[in-house]
Each structure stands twice: as structure tokens, then as C-alpha cells.
């Protein structure tokens, strides 16, 4: 079978209307790039990557608010196969992570495979032809035997809903993900809505510039001291000269993070120790008892994402900051009225309100067998088999799908585990000459019953809070309920027995590029 290069077909796309490719990957964050790198390493090159933006990077291209950084150590929050000995800090700032992803794109020769400014507007499984029919922005179309989504779990910004008068506000507004760096905050009266992971990073940065900062808080997060520091010159040299030392360091961080699962899922009492550290952190920085009370959560540590920061509490203790925990009654043209009846004049509102985590896929984008929208299939909350495949959606793989999120470790580890699974699926499809694989509905149902059972005892459900991990149905559709090494083990092999597999026929052959997938250890 001739080798079809996506690079070649990509270049030709400018003149051709419809492209046909074996594998289409959507997105260029850690998921899309990680998947593409593994395919390339396996000798597959009949794939392309569709990216709606004009550059790679996903989360780390789009979130450029002041203070944006990872909250899992960079030595771990990076690809295992592409260590970076040059991280400047333990928790690197956003520009460095974005640069890392751009460097990986070059290092692994991915640019020719990427079609930028190519938003997947819809993808429909064509039963007869056994392909995904993809509609791209600009009226272009594409068919792919296999569709791999790396569209991101936290990439659609969420805005406050049901706030009276918000649309009447005449000042400046933007979401943390769409930070407007041209808007000068100096001397302005600014309201920040939300106190999650993004807000606690940007609030200390803007507090120094603004005239006043009104921080609207629904529920305070538990915050621990951030074990951040510069990576020393000695460490840089050591990691470069003896790469094994960086691997060992990564392993040690991984093991340390993984122990936190014990507190989250097995015995929430372990969280009492963490609570003591967090309370000391508040007491150390916040001397005013009234403010301290507002900032002290009343739910079990871990129920909402545990955050880390050394500069958030000191910023909140400053005279130009007010924490308002009574809620918003109404927004007017140039002010916000709190539930306490106080009217506060503001020039700008910044939304630190996070993302659509439990409804990551908009309606009208993915249609499986019989034209069923995935959003309808997920009306009781998103669910998949092993976080990756969805019954009725053949040859679709979701990287960072339902219940693959983590409250305690690096998402890159989960992404690499899912990539292993997809690689094994593709390998088996190729060796057995399969046109399609579709997870059996009962297999998916059993898997989800089991993980929901495990999650029902975990701190995220039983810890007495409402968080973005929980779907309105009450189910936790975001998180993996246990150790990440258990996830990796479960995704090591793609078991065809779990799938309805359709063989390719003479009339409907599976398009297969010449690759090294066949013959590799399954
Ligand atoms: C501010 C912030 C900090 C975070 N910090 C950490 C951390 O420290 N540790 C951790 O483990 N996790 C962290 N996360 C979670 C983070 O999202 C994941 O770790 C990881 O980056 C997800 O990668 P991804 O490739 O799945 O998605 P994304 O990085 O979101 O990439 C999705 C890509 O798909 C593209 N796309 C989406 N829809 C379409 C479409 N229809 N057509 C074409 N292209 C499309 C987007 O443009 C984007 O490039 C953080 C998240 C945020 C928002």
C-alpha cells in the first residue's frame, strides 16, 4: 500500500476541496501533540492535525494571564520522552511551557502535519463508508477513518450565569483565558469574579496595579504553600550531563504526588494533616479575623481542587482589596451591587470563572451512529470506556475524555496512558484488517458503574462541597477515582473483546498507511 504523507496532502489542501486521511487528530495541546509524536515514532505518517488557532500549545497558548503557571512540577508536567533540563523554576511560568510545546513540535517534525486555522465544526460518522466526515471552517471537508480528539477538557471558558444586569455593564470585561493585555489596569477599580486556580494566580499580580480590587468569592479554596524555587545552575548542568538524574527526580515527584490519592479516595481523615498546614498558612498571612473567617473553607480538604500559592493571601491582606463573599445582587452600567446591598463602582470586571469542565463538548459537533449527537448521548453526564471510547461512536478516541481528570497529579501522565491505548487499538485494527471498532454498550456501562461506585466514597463527592468536578446530575464525570498507575495498567492493552469490530471488505477496504505498527509488541 502506498504511503500517503499528510505533509504532502496537507500542502495540497490549499487547492483541493476534500481531503482523505487515515487518522485525523484534533488539537495541538499536550494531547494532540503527544498522539502525533507517538504515531510518527511508530512510522505512521498518514495522519494530520487540525487546529482551530494559528499556533500550537492549547491551554498554554490560550492562558496568558499575569502569573499563569503550572501547579504540578514542570519536571513531571512534561512529556516523559522529551525531558527539558532547562526549566527555570519548579513550577514554570506559562511562556516557558508554551515554548516547550513549540520546541517539541519542531523537534519531532510535526509542523508539516498541522493544519492551522482549521476548526472542526462538525464530524459525522458515515456508517456506509466507515469514515468520519469532517466539516472544517472555511467550508472545507475531510474524511478520516479514525478521529482522535485532543480538544481539551478545560478549553471552553465558562461565564457567570443568572447574574442580573451583567449585560448592561458598560466597563471593560474579559475572561482570564482571553486576557486583554492592551487594557491598562493601572489605577482602575476592578472586580474579579471567582477564586479558583486561575484567579489565585492573577489576583496577586494585578493587586499591585489597581486602585481597588473587589474579589467576589462563592466558596474559598483550600490553599497550601507553594514549594516553588528556581532550578539551580548546578541542577541544569547535572540534568544535561546525566539525564538519568532528571528521570529519577521526575519519578520521586510522581511518587510523592501519587500518595495523595490515599487521602482523596481511601481515608479522607488523612486530609486532617493537610488541613492543619492550610490553616497555618491562612493564619500566617491573614491577621484580620473577619477576613480569615471568609477565607477559611468549611468543607473537607480536597473536595475542590487544592491550590498552591504563597502570594494570594498576602495580596488579599492589602488595603486596596475587599473580599466579598455574600454574592452579587445586580450589575449596573458602572457598578456592582452586592447581596449585602452595598454598591461598589467598577471600571472593569475580570471573570475568573473557569471552564465548561462537565460539558466539554458543545452541541452540534460530534455525531455518531444514526446521527446521534454526543451531547445527547451524554445527557446524564459525559461517560466513556476507559475515558477514551464511547459506544455508538466508532473509531473515535477522546484523549482527556470523561473521568480522566486528576486532582493530584500530572495530566500529561494520563495523556500518555491514553496514547498507549490508542496506539494499541490502531495496531490491532491494522493487523486484523478492521474497518471499525465500537465499544460494547454493556462494557461501557459496567466500567462506569464501577468508577461511579468508587467515586461515591471519595472526598470529591463526600467532602461537603459543590465543585466543577460534578455534573448537574451529581455524578463526578471529571476525575479518575484512583491511582494513575492503575489507569495506565488498565489502558495498556486494547482488548478487542470489549468492542464490536467490523472487518474491512473488498468493497470497503480500510485505508492503511505503510507503518511499523504491525508487528510491534501488542
Ligand atoms: C490555566 C490552566 C493551568 C493548568 N495547569 C495544569 C497543571 O499544572 N497540571 C496539570 O496536570 N494540568 C493542568 N491544567 C489542565 C490542562 O488543561 C491539561 O494539563 C492539558 O494541558 C490539556 O491538554 P489538551 O491537549 O487535552 O487540551 P488543550 O491544551 O486545551 O488543547 C486543546 C486544543 O484543541 C484545539 N481545539 C479545540 N476545539 C477544536 C476544534 N473544534 N477544532 C480544532 N481545534 C480545536 C484548541 O485550540 C487547543 O489547541 C491546567 C489548565 C489550565 C486551564
Amino acid at each position: 500500500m502506498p504511503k500517503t504523507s499528510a505533509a504532502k496532502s496537507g500542502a495540497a489542501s490549499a487547492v483541493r476541496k476534500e481531503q482523505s486521511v487515515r487518522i485525523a487528530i484534533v488539537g495541538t495541546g499536550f494531547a494532540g501533540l503527544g498522539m502525533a509524536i507517538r504515531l510518527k515514532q511508530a512510522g505512521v505518517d498518514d495522519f494530520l492535525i487540525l487546529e482551530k488557532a494559528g499556533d500550537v500549545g492549547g491551554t498554554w497558548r490560550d492562558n496568558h494571564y499575569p502569573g499563569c503557571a503550572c501547579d504540578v512540577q514542570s519536571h513531571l508536567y512534561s512529556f516523559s520522552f522529551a525531558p527539558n533540563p532547562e526549566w527555570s523554576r519548579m513550577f514554570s511560568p506559562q511562556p516557558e511551557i508554551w515554548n516547550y510545546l513549540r520546541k517539541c513540535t519542531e523537534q519531532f517534525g510535526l509542523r508539516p502535519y498541522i493544519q492551522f486555522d482549521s476548526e472542526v465544526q462538525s464530524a459525522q460518522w458515515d456508517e456506509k463508508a466507515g469514515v468520519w466526515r469532517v466539516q472544517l471552517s472555511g467550508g472545507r471537508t475531510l474524511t478520516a477513518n479514525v478521529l482522535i480528539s485532543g480538544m481539551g477538557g478545560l478549553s471552553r471558558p465558562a461565564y457567570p450565569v443568572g447574574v442580573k444586569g451583567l449585560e448592561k455593564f458598560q466597563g471593560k470585561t474579559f475572561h482570564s483565558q482571553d486576557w486583554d493585555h492592551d487594557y491598562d489596569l493601572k489605577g482602575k477599580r476592578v472586580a474579579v469574579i471567582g477564586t479558583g486556580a486561575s484567579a489565585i494566580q492573577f489576583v496577586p499580580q494585578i493587586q499591585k496595579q489597581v486602585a481597588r480590587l473587589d474579589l467576589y468569592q462563592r466558596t474559598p479554596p483550600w490553599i497550601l504553600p507553594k514549594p516553588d524555587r528556581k532550578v539551580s545552575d548546578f541542577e541544569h548542568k547535572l540534568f544535561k550531563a546525566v539525564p538519568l538524574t532528571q528521570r529519577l527526580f521526575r519519578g520521586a515527584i510522581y511518587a510523592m504526588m501519587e500518595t495523595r490519592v490515599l487521602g482523596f479516595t481511601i481515608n479522607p481523615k488523612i486530609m486532617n494533616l493537610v488541613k492543619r498546614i492550610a490553616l497555618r498558612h491562612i493564619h500566617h498571612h491573614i491577621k484580620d479575623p473577619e477576613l480569615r473567617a471568609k477565607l477559611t473553607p468549611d468543607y473537607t480538604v480536597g473536595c475542590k481542587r487544592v491550590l498552591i500559592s504563597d502570594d494570594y493571601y498576602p495580596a488579599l491582606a492589602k488595603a486596596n482589596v475587599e473580599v466579598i463573599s455574600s454574592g452579587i445582587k445586580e450589575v449596573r452600567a458602572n457598578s456592582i451591587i452586592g447581596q449585602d446591598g452595598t454598591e461598589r463602582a467598577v471600571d472593569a470586571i475580570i471573570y475568573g470563572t473557569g471552564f465548561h469542565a462537565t460539558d466539554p463538548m458543545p452541541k452540534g459537533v460530534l455525531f455518531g451512529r444514526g446521527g446521534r449527537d454526543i451531547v445527547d448521548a451524554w445527557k446524564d453526564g459525559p461517560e466513556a470506556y476507559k475515558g477514551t471510547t464511547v459506544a455508538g461512536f466508532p473509531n473515535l478516541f477522546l484523549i482527556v475524555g470523561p473521568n480522566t481528570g486528576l486532582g493530584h497529579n500530572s495530566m500529561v501522565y494520563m495523556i500518555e496512558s491514553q496514547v498507549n491505548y490508542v496506539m494499541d487499538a490502531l495496531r490491532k485494527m491494522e493487523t486484523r484488517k478492521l474497518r471499525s471498532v465500537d465499544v460494547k454498550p454493556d462494557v461501557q456501562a459496567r466500567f462506569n458503574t464501577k468508577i461511579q461506585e468508587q467515586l461515591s466514597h471519595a472526598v470529591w463527592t463526600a467532602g461537603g462541597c459543590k465543585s466543577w468536578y460534578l455534573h448537574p446530575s451529581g455524578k463526578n464525570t471529571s476525575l479518575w477515582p484512583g491511582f494513575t498507575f492503575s489507569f495506565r495498567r488498565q489502558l495498556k492493552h486494547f482488548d478487542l473483546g470489549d468492542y464490536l469490530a467490523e472487518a474491512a471488505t473488498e468493497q470497503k477496504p480500510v485505508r492503511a498507511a505503510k507503518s511499523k505498527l504491525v508487528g510491534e509488541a501488542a
Side-chain angles (χ1 to χ4, degrees):
M1 192 145 313
K3 202 172 196 174
T4 315
S5 157
K8 272 188 259 154
S9 58
S13 71
V15 283
R16 258 194 301 151
K17 265 253 154 168
E18 170 138 315
Q19 258 183 298
S20 167
V21 74
R22 183 181 171 212
I23 301 162
I25 301 170
V26 191
T28 59
F30 271 106
L33 295 178
M35 186 70 237
I37 292 168
R38 286 289 303 282
L39 283 173
K40 199 144 183 270
Q41 286 174 332
V44 179
D45 77 352
D46 197 0
F47 71 91
L48 54 79
I49 314 170
L50 304 163
E51 170 53 62
K52 68 177 176 187
D55 201 350
V56 302
T59 296
W60 302 101
R61 175 199 63 227
D62 293 340
N63 289 272
H64 38 75
Y65 56 79
C68 183
C70 53
D71 56 14
V72 167
Q73 284 89 336
S74 294
H75 296 285
L76 181 60
Y77 189 64
S78 43
F79 290 125
S80 61
F81 49 79
N84 173 18
E86 282 161 9
W87 292 120
S88 66
R89 305 191 65 83
M90 296 298 284
F91 299 88
S92 299
Q94 169 266 337
E96 250 183 81
I97 308 171
W98 186 21
N99 200 32
Y100 167 80
L101 287 171
R102 283 182 176 138
K103 267 172 108 171
C104 287
T105 307
E106 304 310 329
Q107 184 185 338
F108 293 96
L110 296 184
R111 288 254 170 216
Y113 295 83
I114 306 175
Q115 291 188 5
F116 290 113
D117 303 312
S118 298
E119 179 170 13
V120 171
Q121 293 182 331
S122 71
Q124 159 87 59
W125 174 250
D126 181 336
E127 191 79 55
K128 231 166 139 194
V131 293
W132 281 95
R133 296 202 176 277
V134 181
Q135 192 77 44
L136 297 171
S137 44
R140 290 167 300 145
T141 57
L142 168 90
T143 64
N145 295 90
V146 171
L147 187 64
I148 303 175
S149 165
M151 284 160 69
L154 300 179
S155 66
R156 295 175 60 221
Y159 292 86
V161 279
V163 177
K164 191 176 163 202
L166 198 55
E167 70 292 347
K168 295 191 189 132
F169 184 66
Q170 306 220 315
K172 179 79 185 169
T173 61
F174 53 87
H175 190 277
S176 60
Q177 185 177 266
D178 296 312
W179 199 273
D180 186 345
H181 295 273
D182 292 334
Y183 182 74
D184 189 2
L185 289 163
K186 212 176 291 161
K188 300 281 183 354
R189 296 160 303 180
V190 176
V192 171
I193 303 181
T195 54
S198 300
I200 75 147
Q201 292 186 333
F202 71 73
V203 160
Q205 305 298 316
I206 65 170
Q207 173 274 323
K208 299 170 208 157
Q209 305 170 40
V210 301
R212 39 168 307 120
L213 198 158
D214 299 332
L215 181 60
Y216 288 89
Q217 168 191 278
R218 196 165 51 183
T219 324
W222 282 108
I223 302 176
L224 294 173
K226 186 170 181 175
D228 197 14
R229 62 168 174 83
K230 274 188 172 165
V231 179
S232 69
D233 286 347
F234 171 75
E235 285 168 308
H236 285 147
K237 282 185 193 142
L238 182 68
F239 294 153
K240 266 188 219 160
V242 192
L244 176 67
T245 55
Q246 195 180 11
R247 279 218 296 281
L248 290 172
F249 192 36
R250 179 186 170 98
I253 298 168
Y254 171 78
M256 186 196 68
M257 304 287 267
E258 201 65 348
T259 58
R260 300 203 285 173
V261 174
L262 298 171
F264 285 137
T265 62
I266 294 170
N267 186 355
K269 285 200 183 116
I270 297 175
M271 286 309 190
N272 286 338
L273 174 67
V274 183
K275 182 176 174 179
R276 277 214 291 278
I277 300 170
L279 285 175
R280 240 195 347 253
H281 197 40
I282 302 179
H283 278 246
H284 180 69
H285 292 292
I286 308 289
K287 304 297 173 203
D288 170 9
E290 204 184 311
L291 179 58
R292 204 186 275 166
K294 278 186 195 168
L295 297 176
T296 306
D298 62 0
Y299 55 85
T300 312
V301 180
C303 184
K304 283 161 94 73
R305 191 174 176 86
V306 179
L307 307 179
I308 47 173
S309 173
D310 287 341
D311 52 8
Y312 181 65
Y313 289 140
L316 299 196
K318 292 286 185 318
N320 65 340
V321 180
E322 184 180 358
V323 178
I324 301 137
S325 55
S326 54
I328 295 175
K329 188 173 171 205
E330 187 186 343
V331 177
R332 293 198 178 153
N334 297 297
S335 64
I336 297 181
I337 303 177
Q339 290 292 358
D340 58 359
T342 311
E343 181 167 8
R344 296 172 181 87
V346 282
D347 303 304
I349 301 177
I350 303 176
Y351 302 117
T353 36
F355 301 89
H356 284 272
T358 54
D359 55 343
M361 201 69 77
K363 204 169 163 63
V365 175
L366 272 180
F367 300 93
R369 282 191 203 278
R372 191 171 196 209
D373 192 317
I374 202 162
V375 175
D376 294 330
W378 283 350
K379 62 180 187 326
D380 298 325
E383 69 164 52
Y385 180 52
K386 300 188 176 180
T388 314
T389 50
V390 183
F393 293 78
N395 293 8
L396 172 71
F397 298 93
L398 305 176
I399 310 216
V400 187
N403 292 102
T404 59
L406 296 177
H408 74 285
N409 213 323
S410 167
M411 278 308 294
V412 181
Y413 183 91
M414 300 300 271
I415 288 170
E416 289 191 29
S417 307
Q418 290 191 276
V419 168
N420 290 343
Y421 190 67
V422 180
M423 290 301 290
D424 198 35
L426 295 173
R427 216 174 271 144
K428 286 181 173 142
M429 286 176 75
E430 198 169 323
T431 23
R432 314 271 171 112
K433 301 205 173 1
L434 298 177
R435 189 171 83 123
S436 68
V437 288
D438 186 5
V439 66
K440 293 175 182 165
D442 58 316
V443 170
Q444 181 178 313
R446 268 200 307 280
F447 175 82
N448 280 283
T449 303
K450 191 171 162 207
I451 60 169
Q452 286 304 325
E453 218 293 297
Q454 288 170 298
L455 282 162
S456 67
H457 308 297
V459 66
W460 309 298
T461 320
C465 77
K466 247 182 96 185
S467 74
W468 58 260
Y469 298 143
L470 304 181
H471 185 263
S473 66
K475 278 199 299 188
N476 184 334
T477 55
S478 309
L479 296 181
W480 174 246
F483 292 107
T484 59
F485 55 78
S486 145
F487 183 75
R488 177 153 297 189
R489 206 174 45 231
Q490 291 187 39
L491 274 78
K492 193 162 177 221
H493 298 298
F494 182 83
D495 187 346
L496 270 174
D498 293 336
Y499 286 80
L500 301 164
E502 194 193 345
T505 62
E506 280 300 306
Q507 289 78 33
K508 302 167 184 170
V510 64
R511 296 194 59 216
K514 206 162 109 196
S515 76
K516 291 182 209 143
L517 280 176
V518 177
E520 273 186 19

